Structure formats: C-alpha cells, structure tokens
Amino acid sequence: MHRLLLLALLLCAACGDKTHPAPTEPPDAGSGGPATLIVHSNWWDFTAGLGEIQGITVLLGDGSRFRQPLGRDGIARFTDAAITGPQDITVVMVGDGKVLASTTLGVEGTEVWVRSGYGLLGGGFPGSRQATLTGRVTNLTGAQAQVRVVGKNFAGITHTVEDGTFSVDVWGEAPGQVALFVTHGTEQVSAVGLLRDIAVGEGRTVSGLVIPLDHPVDQRLPVEVTNLQPYGALSSVAATFTLGSEYLFTTSTAGTTPIEVPAMARTPPFDTVEVRLFATAGSDARITSGRVVANAPLAPGGVTPLALPAPLTLTSPTPGTEEAPGSGPRSGLTLRWSADPAVHRVTVRMIPQQGETELDWYVTAPATVSRFTPFTLPAEVSPLRELTGGLYFVQWSSDFLGAGHGYQDLFKEAPTGSEPDAWYTNAYGYSVLQD
C-alpha cells in the first residue's frame, strides 16, 4: 500500500478535475490586483514518501490557463475576473521521481480550504502545566484505575496507586474548567467514574478530590442493523461515549445476533454524556461492496435501529483482486462510480504498483458527479504528465457527513466534524491500465 496511506486518519479529502480546451493565452494568475480566489491547502505537511519536494502547484481546471505555486504558508492566490463560479482544483506535488495529483471537483467560494484529508500522527500534552490535581478514587477493587483529564484543549493522564490515590498534572494553553474521568477494567471497561467542573489555571494545586467509581458498565442495550445484505456480514458494533466534544471511552461487541452493546446508566454525573453507535460491516477487500461504518445515537433504553447505506461501486476501471486484477484502458480513461444518493463526498485513488517513477491521482467529488477523466498535467508543472500503463491499487470511498451538512462544508475554514448520523464506505481492489 502506498506510503502516504500510512498517515491516513479518515479518508482522503483531495482529488478530481475537468478537462478544458487549451486556451491560446499563456498561464496566468491574473492582473496582479486583489485576489479573486484564495486557495488554502495543508499538503506541505504531508510530503512523506515523495523524497525531496521540488514544488507544489495549484491548478484551476487543467492548469493550462490558471496555475499558481502553493506557498510555504499553504496559500495560492489567483487574481482574474474570469475566475468565477465553482472551480475544479488540482494540487500537484512533485518529488524525486514521484508525483501526486489531488483533484477536488466543484469547489465554491472565493476563499476555500482544500485539505489533504490526512491527520498528523503523534502529538503530546499541549501548552504548560495549568494545575496539579490530587485525590482518591473510591469503590475501587482489584487492579489500578486510569484517571484522565477531560476538557477541550486540556490533557493529562495517570493511574491510581494501590490505595486509590492519584496525582495528575493538567496541561493546557490557558486556565479553564476540566473533568476527571476514571476507567476500571482490562480488556473491556467494567466501571467508570466522573468528577466535573474543576477550575484549573496558573499552576495551582487542587487537593482532596474524591471520584466515586460508581457506574458499572453492566447494561446491554439492543441494536437492530438492517440493509446488511450487500456487505455480507456484520463485523462489530461499538459505542463511543463523549462529554461535549471530548472522548471518554468505547465499548464493543462482536457482530452476532441479537446485538447488545455494553453501556452504563446515564445518571448523574453521566446524564449529559452522549453515546454514538458505530456499526461495521463487510471488508475493505470485498470488491463488490467494501466496508461500511454507520453511526447513530445510541438510545438509553429500548432498541436502537440502524439502517446501512447502499455501497459505493466503481465501474471504471473494472476492479479485481491483486491475484486477479480488473482492467481498463489507459488512453481515454474515465473513472466512473455509482453512489448512494445521500452521499456528500466520493473519493477515488489511483496508485501505481510498478516502477520507481510514479504518478498517483486522487479524485474527490460531490454526489452530483459520477465520473472524472484524468487530464494531461502541464509540462511546466510536472515531469510525469499522464497515468502510465500497468497495475494500480484502486481505492474508492464515500461519506455522509450528517444531516444539515453538505459537500461545500468541506471547504470552509472550520473543518466539518462527524455528526451522530454520519457514515462512510470504503473498498479497494486492483486494476491494470492497458495501452
């Protein structure tokens, strides 16, 4: 699998473009006046695997008329009154014998954020030490419990000692309020505790805190998953518990029937905790349908219904397995797919599996588009200009961002978060492009 895929957190939000007739005028950014289109992109943060980067260029259309370098500040500015309406934007990254073209179709707005779709790995405690919290976890029997700081832009974690006492440093950029969350259990969380609304700041020490481990994870909440047939089998069902936007913990169960998800009573202080259900079915390597992960709010009682969406299918090039790949023509290749009508975003990736020189192409499109024809990259931008013949790893994915969201939300300054009713599908296979 391609090196960049190792960095992936979610699905790639980068790719796609139309082919336009080559104009007679030279490539241009415009007249030098005020910018008519500003493109922000974070691709400079994701150059691993490309060797020494020679440059990153942003193309509008096929780049024959409008193209600009992506500055190290992650910004490309275009100034021309002719740049109006939705744009097909391609980011071309040129490295040592490796080129990645990432095209995003139909982007609206005069200032847009076209993201790579990759997240940075690692990280650490943010900011400085805002406080030290000490106290005791009660009702604790047996093994140690984990104590974790929960709060937006705060971090901190420790374990209790044998008598249940703890001391944890709170790290953050500024004073505020945090909660302390306690989990007990080995393979699965068996009990939880929570202490909320603790003021932190200026390195203060807060002592004598008591956190009762008083909520056993002993409920079994039933779930009914429907529309399973295209995916073959249910893999697992999990419930993720959050306090506001902050993660607490996850429980899971194998995909057996009847399905019951472990949970705790949502009584104080867990009365404001939200629980999201994740049902996973199929497999990434199941070429006919792939894998789906669908979400729904988990009801505190009764049965939670969850209907799976229709799979995304790739029809050109024809996909197959690595041992028996499908095929498609290299010359005049058009990527074609069919998606659930509710889809907000479709992503297709073409990654060559032969040779030291390679051109990867990613395409991102709205549900209203079902095809894309890779074009010839400008010679001034890339030494590799077209997809070559040979074996390709092909990945196709789709996303529903949640009710109230749409494709254009992906290109706003504040990234679109995943809503409780969101879902995505993912599949991959292999295809040979034939000359």
Side-chain angles (χ1 to χ4, degrees):
M1 188 171 290
H2 193 264
R3 294 161 294 279
L4 288 175
L5 295 180
L6 298 177
L7 296 175
L9 290 181
L10 301 197
L11 298 171
C12 178
C15 321
D17 196 67
K18 299 175 186 174
T19 301
H20 299 282
T24 56
E25 56 264 52
D28 194 8
S31 61
T36 52
L37 175 62
I38 300 174
V39 178
H40 300 259
S41 182
N42 62 348
W43 270 113
W44 276 111
D45 295 331
F46 301 96
T47 59
L50 293 177
E52 183 178 352
I53 294 296
Q54 300 173 20
I56 302 180
T57 307
V58 179
L59 316 180
L60 303 185
D62 63 5
S64 58
R65 180 173 182 183
F66 296 115
R67 56 179 183 261
Q68 279 291 290
L70 182 69
R72 291 309 299 255
D73 59 358
I75 299 175
R77 291 178 172 86
F78 296 85
T79 57
D80 195 296
I83 302 174
T84 60
Q87 296 293 321
D88 297 340
I89 300 173
T90 298
V91 178
V92 181
M93 307 168 63
V94 178
D96 295 329
K98 298 177 177 63
V99 176
L100 190 153
S102 175
T103 308
T104 307
L105 298 174
V107 181
E108 298 178 359
T110 58
E111 185 170 11
V112 296
W113 282 257
V114 180
R115 299 175 177 88
S116 68
Y118 294 114
L120 293 172
L121 300 179
F125 291 147
S128 58
R129 186 175 63 85
Q130 293 293 329
T132 298
L133 309 179
T134 68
R136 180 187 300 272
V137 175
T138 61
N139 304 335
L140 178 61
T141 59
Q144 296 176 317
Q146 183 190 87
V147 181
R148 184 161 53 86
V149 175
V150 176
K152 189 172 183 178
N153 300 322
F154 288 101
I157 190 169
T158 191
H159 285 83
T160 59
V161 297
E162 291 182 359
D163 63 356
T165 59
F166 66 88
S167 176
V168 60
D169 290 332
V170 179
W171 297 85
E173 296 288 350
Q177 286 195 331
V178 301
L180 286 178
F181 176 62
V182 181
T183 56
H184 184 249
T186 52
E187 295 183 2
Q188 282 263 35
V189 175
S190 60
V192 294
L194 185 66
L195 184 63
R196 292 160 47 176
D197 303 327
I198 305 169
V200 298
E202 302 176 349
R204 73 187 65 170
T205 297
V206 181
S207 305
L209 300 173
V210 177
I211 311 175
L213 192 65
D214 56 359
H215 276 65
V217 184
D218 57 0
Q219 294 187 352
R220 296 296 182 268
L221 300 181
V223 177
E224 182 181 10
V225 179
T226 57
N227 298 346
L228 181 62
Q229 190 276 330
Y231 300 95
L234 193 64
S235 304
S236 65
V237 177
T240 295
F241 298 76
T242 58
L243 181 64
S245 61
E246 302 304 301
Y247 171 81
L248 295 179
F249 74 109
T250 296
T251 65
S252 63
T253 185
T256 57
T257 303
I259 304 166
E260 293 182 328
V261 178
M264 80 290 180
R266 279 180 253 178
T267 55
F270 289 93
D271 51 322
T272 61
V273 166
E274 297 180 354
V275 190
R276 184 185 298 189
L277 185 69
F278 293 81
T280 304
S283 165
D284 288 344
R286 184 181 172 90
I287 295 172
T288 56
S289 58
R291 177 173 63 102
V292 62
V293 180
N295 303 353
L298 182 65
V303 179
T304 300
L306 179 56
L308 301 183
L312 173 70
T313 58
L314 182 72
T315 57
S316 175
T318 304
T321 65
E322 187 171 13
E323 296 76 16
S327 64
R330 186 190 70 82
S331 179
L333 171 69
T334 295
L335 305 177
R336 304 177 193 271
W337 57 84
S338 176
D340 188 295
V343 161
H344 288 130
R345 170 178 56 190
V346 171
T347 301
V348 180
R349 304 176 185 178
M350 296 285 295
I351 301 172
Q353 302 295 291
Q354 68 284 334
E356 290 299 319
T357 60
E358 61 179 61
L359 168 60
D360 301 5
W361 209 310
Y362 299 172
V363 181
T364 294
T368 53
V369 176
S370 61
R371 65 179 63 189
F372 168 72
T373 300
F375 53 88
T376 301
L377 297 176
E380 298 83 357
V381 171
S382 172
L384 303 176
R385 304 182 62 196
E386 296 179 308
L387 296 175
T388 59
L391 180 66
Y392 280 76
F393 173 84
V394 189
Q395 183 181 30
W396 55 102
S397 309
S398 65
D399 295 83
F400 172 72
L401 304 174
H405 287 299
Y407 179 69
Q408 298 303 328
D409 291 338
L410 295 167
F411 314 115
K412 296 179 180 179
E413 182 175 9
T416 299
S418 177
E419 298 296 331
D421 58 341
W423 49 258
Y424 69 88
T425 70
N426 187 68
Y428 69 79
Y430 293 83
S431 188
V432 176
L433 295 190
Q434 300 174 336
D435 288 314

